[in-house]
Amino acid sequence: MKSLYFISVAFMACLFTACSVGNVSRSGGLDNHGYIQFIQGGNTTYKKGVTVYIDDKPAFNASVDKIKKLRVKGNTYVVNTGTHHIKVVYLGQTLYERNIIIATQETKQITLP
């Protein structure tokens, strides 16, 4: 009786270990977008943020980060890769207007005066 019990436990153990799905792996490429970050370059503080126009898309408000030695990351904004016309406006005054190229997974830092 004990041997029958032992054999059934051993069979169940083999059965449960044999039913594993195996190694599952997932592969994928990098997401097709980059990032932009706005940095305070001079003494002007942009408390309410700046208005950003990218190509012909609707404008959005962005915050401006102050560079500190202890800050690792700031506020970044997702942008599709490629060439874009970026215009940054603060209180009706254009601070930055250029065509920039953004590569995949690149963070482009735009320093404002």
Short mmCIF file of all heavy atoms in Angstrom, two decimals, residues 28-57:
data_model
loop_
_atom_site.label_atom_id
_atom_site.label_comp_id
_atom_site.label_asym_id
_atom_site.label_seq_id
_atom_site.Cartn_x
_atom_site.Cartn_y
_atom_site.Cartn_z
N GLY A 28 11.52 42.93 -28.88
CA GLY A 28 10.90 44.07 -29.54
C GLY A 28 11.93 45.17 -29.72
O GLY A 28 12.94 45.23 -29.01
N GLY A 29 11.65 46.04 -30.63
CA GLY A 29 12.56 47.14 -30.89
C GLY A 29 12.25 48.32 -30.00
O GLY A 29 11.37 48.29 -29.14
N LEU A 30 12.98 49.39 -30.21
CA LEU A 30 12.75 50.62 -29.47
C LEU A 30 11.50 51.31 -29.98
O LEU A 30 11.15 51.21 -31.15
CB LEU A 30 13.95 51.56 -29.64
CG LEU A 30 15.28 51.07 -29.09
CD1 LEU A 30 16.39 52.03 -29.48
CD2 LEU A 30 15.21 50.93 -27.59
N ASP A 31 10.82 52.00 -29.09
CA ASP A 31 9.67 52.78 -29.50
C ASP A 31 10.13 53.89 -30.43
O ASP A 31 11.20 54.45 -30.29
CB ASP A 31 8.97 53.39 -28.29
CG ASP A 31 8.31 52.34 -27.43
OD1 ASP A 31 7.92 51.30 -27.99
OD2 ASP A 31 8.18 52.55 -26.22
N ASN A 32 9.28 54.21 -31.40
CA ASN A 32 9.64 55.18 -32.42
C ASN A 32 9.26 56.60 -32.00
O ASN A 32 8.42 57.23 -32.61
CB ASN A 32 8.94 54.81 -33.74
CG ASN A 32 9.49 55.58 -34.91
OD1 ASN A 32 10.60 56.07 -34.85
ND2 ASN A 32 8.72 55.68 -35.96
N HIS A 33 9.87 57.07 -30.93
CA HIS A 33 9.67 58.44 -30.50
C HIS A 33 10.87 58.92 -29.70
O HIS A 33 11.67 58.15 -29.21
CB HIS A 33 8.37 58.61 -29.69
CG HIS A 33 8.30 57.78 -28.45
ND1 HIS A 33 7.72 56.54 -28.44
CD2 HIS A 33 8.73 58.00 -27.19
CE1 HIS A 33 7.80 56.04 -27.22
NE2 HIS A 33 8.42 56.90 -26.46
N GLY A 34 10.97 60.25 -29.59
CA GLY A 34 12.03 60.88 -28.80
C GLY A 34 11.38 61.81 -27.79
O GLY A 34 10.16 61.83 -27.62
N TYR A 35 12.20 62.61 -27.13
CA TYR A 35 11.71 63.48 -26.06
C TYR A 35 12.32 64.86 -26.20
O TYR A 35 13.44 65.01 -26.70
CB TYR A 35 12.09 62.90 -24.69
CG TYR A 35 11.64 61.48 -24.49
CD1 TYR A 35 12.48 60.41 -24.79
CD2 TYR A 35 10.37 61.20 -24.03
CE1 TYR A 35 12.07 59.11 -24.61
CE2 TYR A 35 9.94 59.90 -23.85
CZ TYR A 35 10.80 58.86 -24.14
OH TYR A 35 10.38 57.57 -23.97
N ILE A 36 11.58 65.87 -25.73
CA ILE A 36 12.14 67.20 -25.62
C ILE A 36 11.99 67.67 -24.19
O ILE A 36 11.05 67.29 -23.49
CB ILE A 36 11.49 68.22 -26.60
CG1 ILE A 36 9.98 68.27 -26.42
CG2 ILE A 36 11.86 67.93 -28.02
CD1 ILE A 36 9.32 69.35 -27.26
N GLN A 37 12.95 68.47 -23.75
CA GLN A 37 12.96 69.01 -22.40
C GLN A 37 13.36 70.47 -22.49
O GLN A 37 14.26 70.83 -23.24
CB GLN A 37 13.96 68.23 -21.54
CG GLN A 37 14.05 68.72 -20.12
CD GLN A 37 15.07 67.95 -19.31
OE1 GLN A 37 15.97 67.33 -19.87
NE2 GLN A 37 14.94 68.00 -18.02
N PHE A 38 12.69 71.31 -21.73
CA PHE A 38 12.96 72.74 -21.74
C PHE A 38 13.70 73.11 -20.47
O PHE A 38 13.27 72.79 -19.36
CB PHE A 38 11.65 73.52 -21.87
CG PHE A 38 10.91 73.18 -23.12
CD1 PHE A 38 9.87 72.27 -23.11
CD2 PHE A 38 11.29 73.72 -24.34
CE1 PHE A 38 9.19 71.93 -24.27
CE2 PHE A 38 10.64 73.38 -25.51
CZ PHE A 38 9.59 72.49 -25.46
N ILE A 39 14.83 73.83 -20.65
CA ILE A 39 15.72 74.14 -19.55
C ILE A 39 15.89 75.66 -19.44
O ILE A 39 16.04 76.34 -20.45
CB ILE A 39 17.09 73.48 -19.78
CG1 ILE A 39 16.88 72.01 -19.92
CG2 ILE A 39 18.09 73.89 -18.75
CD1 ILE A 39 17.83 71.08 -19.43
N GLN A 40 15.89 76.15 -18.22
CA GLN A 40 16.08 77.58 -17.94
C GLN A 40 17.57 77.89 -18.07
O GLN A 40 18.40 77.34 -17.37
CB GLN A 40 15.59 77.88 -16.53
CG GLN A 40 15.81 79.29 -16.10
CD GLN A 40 15.33 79.50 -14.67
OE1 GLN A 40 14.52 78.74 -14.17
NE2 GLN A 40 15.85 80.51 -14.03
N GLY A 41 17.89 78.81 -19.00
CA GLY A 41 19.29 79.14 -19.23
C GLY A 41 19.74 80.40 -18.52
O GLY A 41 20.85 80.49 -18.04
N GLY A 42 18.86 81.40 -18.41
CA GLY A 42 19.23 82.66 -17.78
C GLY A 42 18.59 82.81 -16.42
O GLY A 42 18.26 81.84 -15.75
N ASN A 43 18.40 84.06 -16.01
CA ASN A 43 17.82 84.34 -14.71
C ASN A 43 16.29 84.42 -14.74
O ASN A 43 15.66 84.57 -13.70
CB ASN A 43 18.38 85.65 -14.15
CG ASN A 43 19.86 85.52 -13.85
OD1 ASN A 43 20.34 84.45 -13.52
ND2 ASN A 43 20.59 86.62 -13.98
N THR A 44 15.69 84.38 -15.91
CA THR A 44 14.24 84.47 -16.03
C THR A 44 13.61 83.17 -15.52
O THR A 44 14.05 82.08 -15.85
CB THR A 44 13.83 84.67 -17.49
OG1 THR A 44 14.51 85.80 -18.01
CG2 THR A 44 12.34 84.90 -17.61
N THR A 45 12.58 83.31 -14.67
CA THR A 45 11.84 82.14 -14.21
C THR A 45 10.52 82.08 -14.96
O THR A 45 9.86 83.09 -15.15
CB THR A 45 11.57 82.20 -12.70
OG1 THR A 45 10.85 83.39 -12.41
CG2 THR A 45 12.87 82.18 -11.91
N TYR A 46 10.18 80.92 -15.40
CA TYR A 46 8.95 80.69 -16.16
C TYR A 46 7.97 79.95 -15.26
O TYR A 46 7.79 78.75 -15.38
CB TYR A 46 9.27 79.89 -17.43
CG TYR A 46 10.33 80.54 -18.29
CD1 TYR A 46 11.66 80.14 -18.21
CD2 TYR A 46 10.00 81.55 -19.17
CE1 TYR A 46 12.63 80.73 -19.00
CE2 TYR A 46 10.96 82.15 -19.96
CZ TYR A 46 12.27 81.74 -19.87
OH TYR A 46 13.23 82.33 -20.64
N LYS A 47 7.34 80.69 -14.34
CA LYS A 47 6.48 80.06 -13.34
C LYS A 47 5.26 79.39 -13.94
O LYS A 47 4.86 78.32 -13.52
CB LYS A 47 6.05 81.09 -12.30
CG LYS A 47 7.19 81.58 -11.46
CD LYS A 47 6.73 82.58 -10.43
CE LYS A 47 7.92 83.09 -9.63
NZ LYS A 47 7.55 84.09 -8.66
N LYS A 48 4.66 80.03 -14.93
CA LYS A 48 3.45 79.47 -15.54
C LYS A 48 3.78 78.55 -16.71
O LYS A 48 2.87 78.04 -17.37
CB LYS A 48 2.53 80.60 -16.01
CG LYS A 48 1.98 81.42 -14.88
CD LYS A 48 1.03 82.46 -15.38
CE LYS A 48 0.47 83.28 -14.23
NZ LYS A 48 -0.45 84.30 -14.69
N GLY A 49 5.03 78.35 -16.99
CA GLY A 49 5.43 77.51 -18.10
C GLY A 49 5.44 78.30 -19.41
O GLY A 49 5.21 79.50 -19.44
N VAL A 50 5.71 77.61 -20.47
CA VAL A 50 5.78 78.21 -21.80
C VAL A 50 4.79 77.49 -22.71
O VAL A 50 4.38 76.37 -22.45
CB VAL A 50 7.21 78.12 -22.38
CG1 VAL A 50 8.17 78.99 -21.60
CG2 VAL A 50 7.70 76.69 -22.42
N THR A 51 4.42 78.16 -23.79
CA THR A 51 3.55 77.57 -24.79
C THR A 51 4.42 77.04 -25.92
O THR A 51 5.27 77.76 -26.44
CB THR A 51 2.55 78.61 -25.32
OG1 THR A 51 1.84 79.16 -24.21
CG2 THR A 51 1.56 77.97 -26.28
N VAL A 52 4.19 75.80 -26.30
CA VAL A 52 5.04 75.14 -27.30
C VAL A 52 4.18 74.77 -28.51
O VAL A 52 3.11 74.18 -28.37
CB VAL A 52 5.69 73.87 -26.73
CG1 VAL A 52 6.55 73.19 -27.77
CG2 VAL A 52 6.51 74.22 -25.50
N TYR A 53 4.66 75.14 -29.69
CA TYR A 53 4.03 74.78 -30.96
C TYR A 53 4.98 73.84 -31.68
O TYR A 53 6.14 74.17 -31.92
CB TYR A 53 3.80 76.01 -31.83
CG TYR A 53 2.88 77.04 -31.21
CD1 TYR A 53 3.39 78.06 -30.42
CD2 TYR A 53 1.51 76.98 -31.41
CE1 TYR A 53 2.56 79.01 -29.85
CE2 TYR A 53 0.66 77.93 -30.86
CZ TYR A 53 1.19 78.93 -30.07
OH TYR A 53 0.36 79.87 -29.51
N ILE A 54 4.49 72.66 -32.04
CA ILE A 54 5.29 71.70 -32.81
C ILE A 54 4.59 71.47 -34.13
O ILE A 54 3.46 70.96 -34.16
CB ILE A 54 5.49 70.38 -32.05
CG1 ILE A 54 6.23 70.64 -30.74
CG2 ILE A 54 6.24 69.38 -32.91
CD1 ILE A 54 6.44 69.40 -29.91
N ASP A 55 5.24 71.85 -35.21
CA ASP A 55 4.69 71.76 -36.56
C ASP A 55 3.33 72.47 -36.60
O ASP A 55 3.22 73.59 -36.15
CB ASP A 55 4.61 70.31 -37.02
CG ASP A 55 6.00 69.65 -37.08
OD1 ASP A 55 6.98 70.36 -37.35
OD2 ASP A 55 6.10 68.43 -36.86
N ASP A 56 2.34 71.83 -37.16
CA ASP A 56 1.01 72.44 -37.26
C ASP A 56 0.05 71.85 -36.24
O ASP A 56 -1.16 71.96 -36.39
CB ASP A 56 0.45 72.23 -38.67
CG ASP A 56 1.25 72.99 -39.71
OD1 ASP A 56 1.82 74.04 -39.36
OD2 ASP A 56 1.32 72.53 -40.87
N LYS A 57 0.55 71.21 -35.21
CA LYS A 57 -0.29 70.60 -34.19
C LYS A 57 -0.72 71.64 -33.16
O LYS A 57 -0.11 72.70 -33.05
CB LYS A 57 0.46 69.45 -33.52
CG LYS A 57 0.79 68.34 -34.50
CD LYS A 57 1.55 67.23 -33.85
CE LYS A 57 1.86 66.17 -34.89
NZ LYS A 57 2.77 65.19 -34.44
#
